[in-house]
Amino acid sequence: MIKNKLMLSIVVVVLLFFSVVSVCQASMGTTLLRIGSTGPDVVELQTKLNYLGYNVGTADGIFGNHTKEQVIAFQTNKGLSADGLVGSLTATTLNTAFAEKQRQDKINSIINIANQNIGVRYQWGGTSPTTGFDCSGFTSYVFAQNGISLPRISRDQYNVGTSVNYTGLQQGDLVFFSIANNGIVDHVGIYLGNNQFINASSSKGVTIYTMGPYWQSIFLGGKRVL
C-alpha cells in the first residue's frame, strides 16, 4: 500500500514537472490571454503592443484593464473581433505586425546610415568612413551597422538573399550592376526608392544616382536580405 502511494506520488510529481516545462516553453498564442492572466506571455504581449505604438505602460506581466484596452485598439485597427482576448488569431496578427515593423525600422536605419556617409571618398578596398569605401565595402559597412553580415565582395553579395527584379525593388534592397557590361557583377549599391540608389562611386565617392537608362542597361538584379 505504501509502495503504491509512493509510486503514485512519483507519477504526479513527474507529470507536474513536464506540465511546468511545457508552460515555460509555450509561446504567446498557445494559451488564451485575458483579464487576470499573468506571466511571460503577457510580458511579450505588452512589449509588442508598446513597440507598435499601443502604449500599455510598463510590461509587468499582468493583464489588466489598460492592457485589454490596447488589445481592443489593436484588434479594431486590424479588423479583428474586438473582444480584448488574445487567442491564436490575435497573437499571430500581432506577431506579424511586430516583425514587419522591426524589418521596416531596420531598413530605415540602413538608409539613414547610408545617407550619413554621403561625400565619403572612394577608396579601393576601403571599408570605413575614415579610410573611404569601395562599392562593396560601403554596402557591407552599412549593413554591419545594423547587425547584418554581408560577404566582402560584390559578386559574393550577389549570392545572398532573395532575388528581386527591377520592377520589384524596395527600399533597402541591394542592387547589382555589370559596369563592364559582360554579365559579371562588379558594382553594388543600396536601393532608396523612387528609382534612386546610393553607392560608393569611383568618381564621386558615396553618392546617390537615379537609375536612368544607363544604370538600367547594366542592371543585373536586386537582392533582398531583410
Side-chain angles (χ1 to χ4, degrees):
M1 186 65 144
I2 295 176
K3 184 177 180 181
N4 288 340
K5 288 184 177 180
L6 179 61
M7 289 297 296
L8 180 60
S9 298
I10 292 173
V11 170
V12 170
V13 169
V14 170
L15 289 174
L16 286 173
F17 171 79
F18 283 106
S19 176
V20 170
V21 170
S22 177
V23 170
C24 290
Q25 292 178 339
S27 58
M28 187 181 66
T30 57
T31 58
L32 182 67
L33 301 180
R34 61 198 309 167
I35 288 282
S37 296
T38 60
D41 284 358
V42 179
V43 172
E44 181 183 350
L45 167 67
Q46 294 170 325
T47 299
K48 290 180 176 180
L49 285 170
N50 280 334
Y51 185 70
L52 292 169
Y54 299 90
N55 185 16
V56 301
T58 302
D60 57 8
I62 302 172
F63 196 130
N65 287 323
H66 191 44
T67 296
K68 179 180 179 179
E69 290 171 2
Q70 296 307 309
V71 168
I72 290 174
F74 173 79
Q75 290 171 326
T76 300
N77 288 339
K78 295 299 181 181
L80 303 175
S81 177
D83 54 12
L85 304 175
V86 182
S88 59
L89 180 57
T90 295
T92 298
T93 306
L94 180 64
N95 288 336
T96 299
F98 179 77
E100 288 175 351
K101 188 173 189 305
Q102 278 190 316
R103 177 178 178 274
Q104 188 58 56
D105 286 349
K106 187 157 285 192
I107 289 172
N108 292 342
S109 178
I110 285 170
I111 291 174
N112 287 339
I113 291 173
N115 285 331
Q116 288 169 14
N117 286 279
I118 289 176
V120 172
R121 69 188 181 94
Y122 181 86
Q123 174 62 51
W124 187 84
T127 59
S128 77
T130 54
T131 62
F133 294 111
D134 63 13
C135 67
S136 56
F138 173 64
T139 53
S140 60
Y141 169 84
V142 170
F143 276 74
Q145 300 309 298
N146 289 275
I148 301 169
S149 178
L150 294 178
R152 174 63 186 85
I153 307 301
S154 59
R155 66 187 62 179
D156 292 332
Q157 291 180 7
Y158 189 61
N159 292 324
V160 303
T162 303
S163 296
V164 183
N165 61 28
Y166 180 77
T167 58
L169 288 173
Q170 296 179 7
Q171 284 185 323
D173 290 344
L174 293 170
V175 285
F176 296 88
F177 306 90
S178 176
I179 293 177
N181 206 18
N182 59 5
I184 298 174
V185 171
D186 57 18
H187 192 65
V188 61
I190 302 170
Y191 189 67
L192 300 177
N194 297 320
N195 209 35
Q196 293 184 317
F197 72 100
I198 187 168
N199 70 138
S201 161
S202 59
S203 59
K204 296 183 178 180
V206 177
T207 191
I208 295 174
Y209 285 119
T210 297
M211 291 183 70
Y214 167 71
W215 289 106
Q216 290 184 40
S217 71
I218 61 172
F219 177 71
L220 293 181
K223 288 299 180 79
R224 186 164 300 150
V225 296
L226 284 171

